Structures are given as structure tokens and as C-alpha cells.
Amino acid sequence: MAPVPKKAKTEGELNTEQLAVLAANRSLLAAAVDGDWATYKTLVSEDLTCFEAEAGSHLVKGLDFHKFYFPSEPKPSNKVTTLVNPVVTFLSADKTAALCAYVRLTQFIGADGKPMTTEISETRIWTRPSADSNEWKNVHFQRGCGKL
């Protein structure tokens, strides 16, 4: 008989270390939504890799591709981001690498003045220099196609 998969933890069931990864992830998303390049680049590795819709099916390496989407000055956004069922799993015994996966809902007012919501699945890999450090860096992410 196959083992029964463990139920995914809710955000309230994550431990302190997992919550630290999730906090870094939320800070990164807030910086991206607000167009805050200065904060964004402190939270990602210079050799960041990703697969995302804007790049088609191509693996993107480095930060130049991402910088294009940031305005010259940060602009606070009216968008609300919600992470649904976030999961944080450590990938190494010393807890210096972690996977963070979730569905990201983004709510905003569309050009026609009506409320809108987009949905996208994201997986991010985070690393830190040592188990004692809280300086998490996003080294890779993959975003699925949006819905709604």
C-alpha cells in the first residue's frame, strides 16, 4: 500500500524558520508590485534564474530581463496580493535552502473601474549563507500561466 501523503500545513502551522522564508517572499512580491527595484535586488541573487510567462518557454538568467519591468521610481500600487496555501519546505539538512510554493491572487481595479482578480501558481527557491543567517535570497522561480 502506498504511503498516505501528509496534509500540507496551513500558514498558521509553519514554524519560525519557515515563516522567515515566507516573510522574505512577501517582501519580494511587495517590491515587485510597487516597482521598488532597490528592494527587489537585495532579495534576489545576481544570477537569478526563472521560467515565467513574459519569457515564453525560455530560461532567463540574471537581472537585466527583470529590471526592464521596473519603473525608474517606485510607485506604490493599489494591488492586493494574497498567497493561498503557501508551503515552505527546506531542501537541505542545514536549512540553508528552501522551496516556497503557493497560488498568488492579485486583486486590483481594472481600467474599466471594475474589480479584477488574477491567479497564478509560483514556486521559488531561496538560499541563505548559513543556518544562522536570515539573509534569504531568491535564486530561482517558476510562474505558471494565470487564470481568471
Side-chain angles (χ1 to χ4, degrees):
M1 176 182 238
V4 177
K6 291 182 181 177
K7 179 183 168 219
K9 292 182 178 183
T10 64
E11 190 171 336
E13 297 173 311
L14 298 178
N15 66 38
T16 303
E17 292 172 308
Q18 291 169 313
L19 289 171
V21 175
L22 192 56
N25 199 85
R26 288 185 193 283
S27 294
L28 176 70
L29 295 177
V33 168
D34 289 342
D36 183 353
W37 178 251
T39 299
Y40 183 87
K41 70 180 183 178
T42 67
L43 293 166
V44 297
S45 171
E46 289 184 16
D47 57 353
L48 175 71
T49 57
C50 74
F51 289 104
E52 61 180 325
E54 293 85 349
S57 61
H58 301 282
L59 175 66
V60 174
K61 297 178 184 178
L63 299 180
D64 290 343
F65 180 84
H66 305 284
K67 185 161 177 34
F68 175 82
Y69 294 97
F70 282 78
S72 57
E73 293 294 323
K75 296 179 182 174
S77 172
N78 68 345
K79 294 180 179 179
V80 175
T81 300
T82 302
L83 303 185
V84 180
N85 296 325
V87 174
V88 177
T89 303
F90 288 104
L91 303 175
S92 60
D94 64 358
K95 297 184 177 180
T96 57
L99 174 141
C100 185
Y102 48 88
V103 172
R104 177 178 168 187
L105 300 178
T106 304
Q107 298 168 284
F108 58 97
I109 304 300
D112 61 0
K114 294 181 181 177
M116 298 184 67
T117 303
T118 61
E119 171 186 312
I120 197 161
S121 59
E122 294 185 352
T123 301
R124 293 183 182 268
I125 304 294
W126 292 85
T127 63
R128 61 181 172 173
S130 72
D132 298 332
S133 171
N134 200 28
E135 295 180 27
W136 289 99
K137 296 273 188 182
N138 184 208
V139 296
H140 177 79
F141 71 91
Q142 182 159 351
R143 288 191 311 158
C145 295
K147 292 182 182 178
L148 296 180

